[in-house]
Amino acid sequence: MSVDMKAKAEASKAEGNTHFTSKRYDEAIECYSSAIKFDPSNHLYFSNRAACYTAKKEFSAAKADATECIKLSPSFLKGYYRLVQSNLELSLFDEATNAAREGLKLDPDNSELQKQMRLIKAKKAAKASADRNQSLGRPASQGDAKELLELQDAMQATRREMNEVQQYLSGCQREQKMAELTKSEMSSFPSDAAMYRSVGKMFMKATRDEIESYHDSQSATLQKKEKQYNDKLEYLKKRANSQMVNYKELRGGR
């Protein structure tokens, strides 16, 4: 392809970006379509046009462009995001899931694709719940998918908080064991043995009584912390159980 054709394609893309920013989606589509005519091998033009079609809620067209984008550049993550988005809006949940999984193979920690996976599950569960309600003659809730997604995010946050508290609790318990071991070892030393207490990276000479008093104080502080962490952990467990119950109820008892 000639340099001139590529330059024309880029100029059309730049003009399309300006229209897109101003939400003039029809004009932007025309520009991106021109860019594609000049250079049909550039995946970005299809990705940008897919974004326009999505904004116009023309999801079938968006899906076609996202699919072509991925075909041209299988490592382009935004292409997978756009394909998931269009499939999701078309209620093609299995296809949306497959697209999200392919994208996550490239970047397992991609937060946007991870969020899309949660949204797929929420919308899929909400649709199943709505179908069940319809079959039983019950009114369907329009907010089920949003509530499910919010609950999933809340459950994930609770799990993270539980893991953090568990780490603090484990650290506190290790410190207590070390303090008890130190005190036990001290009892085997001669009464006139020289003793030192660590202060940061330094060691200061101290009497046995001073060291024992220090460790008793530390032990009391650690026991208090351990109780606080255990109480916090119990609270989080109850919150997690409550969230799970709400989640199952929203999904129709499944």
Side-chain angles (χ1 to χ4, degrees), residues 91-144:
S91 297
L92 300 173
F93 301 122
D94 290 340
E95 291 185 42
T97 300
N98 291 337
R101 284 175 178 166
E102 288 301 310
L104 287 169
K105 285 180 183 178
L106 298 171
D107 182 7
D109 298 322
N110 187 278
S111 60
E112 289 186 343
L113 288 172
Q114 288 175 344
K115 186 173 182 178
Q116 280 186 320
M117 281 292 280
R118 295 195 298 273
L119 184 58
I120 293 166
K121 291 177 182 177
K123 284 201 169 188
K124 194 172 183 178
K127 186 177 185 303
S129 176
D131 290 343
R132 276 195 304 277
N133 287 336
Q134 188 175 9
S135 67
L136 295 172
R138 299 171 184 166
S141 172
Q142 297 297 320
D144 279 355

Side-chain angles (χ1 to χ4, degrees), residues 2-254:
S2 69
V3 175
D4 182 56
M5 293 289 278
K6 284 185 176 293
K8 287 181 179 179
E10 282 298 296
S12 295
K13 174 198 168 189
E15 187 179 352
N17 290 347
T18 300
H19 288 307
F20 182 82
T21 302
S22 301
K23 297 184 179 181
R24 296 191 295 269
Y25 301 121
D26 289 331
E27 291 87 342
I29 288 171
E30 287 182 16
C31 291
Y32 294 136
S33 297
S34 294
I36 289 169
K37 287 178 182 178
F38 290 127
D39 183 6
S41 66
N42 193 315
H43 64 284
L44 292 175
Y45 305 154
F46 287 96
S47 176
N48 290 0
R49 195 170 67 175
C52 293
Y53 283 130
T54 297
K56 284 169 58 63
K57 301 187 183 302
E58 296 178 14
F59 301 115
S60 293
K63 177 182 177 179
D65 274 355
T67 301
E68 185 63 25
C69 171
I70 293 171
K71 189 184 298 182
L72 292 170
S73 181
S75 62
F76 186 61
L77 280 172
K78 191 170 285 187
Y80 293 95
Y81 176 86
R82 300 208 190 287
L83 183 57
V84 174
Q85 192 176 20
S86 57
N87 277 322
L88 195 53
E89 294 294 344
L90 292 167
S91 297
L92 300 173
F93 301 122
D94 290 340
E95 291 185 42
T97 300
N98 291 337
R101 284 175 178 166
E102 288 301 310
L104 287 169
K105 285 180 183 178
L106 298 171
D107 182 7
D109 298 322
N110 187 278
S111 60
E112 289 186 343
L113 288 172
Q114 288 175 344
K115 186 173 182 178
Q116 280 186 320
M117 281 292 280
R118 295 195 298 273
L119 184 58
I120 293 166
K121 291 177 182 177
K123 284 201 169 188
K124 194 172 183 178
K127 186 177 185 303
S129 176
D131 290 343
R132 276 195 304 277
N133 287 336
Q134 188 175 9
S135 67
L136 295 172
R138 299 171 184 166
S141 172
Q142 297 297 320
D144 279 355
K146 182 181 177 182
E147 289 182 50
L148 279 166
L149 184 60
E150 289 174 350
L151 261 177
Q152 286 176 332
D153 287 339
M155 290 163 68
Q156 193 174 50
T158 299
R159 284 194 294 270
R160 281 197 301 268
E161 200 172 347
M162 286 174 67
N163 288 335
E164 288 177 1
V165 172
Q166 186 62 63
Q167 288 175 5
Y168 292 141
L169 180 60
S170 298
C172 185
Q173 291 170 340
R174 282 196 301 271
E175 287 186 50
Q176 283 200 70
K177 287 181 181 178
M178 289 175 64
E180 291 170 4
L181 181 61
T182 300
K183 195 171 181 179
S184 175
E185 289 291 327
M186 281 175 56
S187 64
S188 64
F189 293 167
S191 58
D192 58 348
M195 294 187 179
Y196 298 83
R197 180 170 72 84
S198 66
V199 181
K201 295 183 179 180
M202 300 174 59
F203 289 89
M204 295 180 61
K205 193 169 184 179
T207 65
R208 180 189 294 270
D209 287 344
E210 287 174 336
I211 294 176
E212 286 182 344
S213 177
Y214 170 77
H215 281 295
D216 286 342
S217 174
Q218 284 293 96
S219 181
T221 300
L222 289 169
Q223 286 175 6
K224 185 177 179 180
K225 283 185 177 180
E226 183 179 7
K227 184 180 184 308
Q228 290 174 341
Y229 291 141
N230 273 318
D231 290 345
K232 179 72 171 178
L233 197 57
E234 284 303 310
Y235 164 75
L236 290 171
K237 285 179 180 178
K238 289 178 182 178
R239 189 170 80 182
N241 287 335
S242 176
Q243 288 170 338
M244 180 57 73
V245 169
N246 291 339
Y247 181 74
K248 286 182 177 179
E249 286 179 353
L250 197 57
R251 292 191 63 179
R254 293 197 307 167

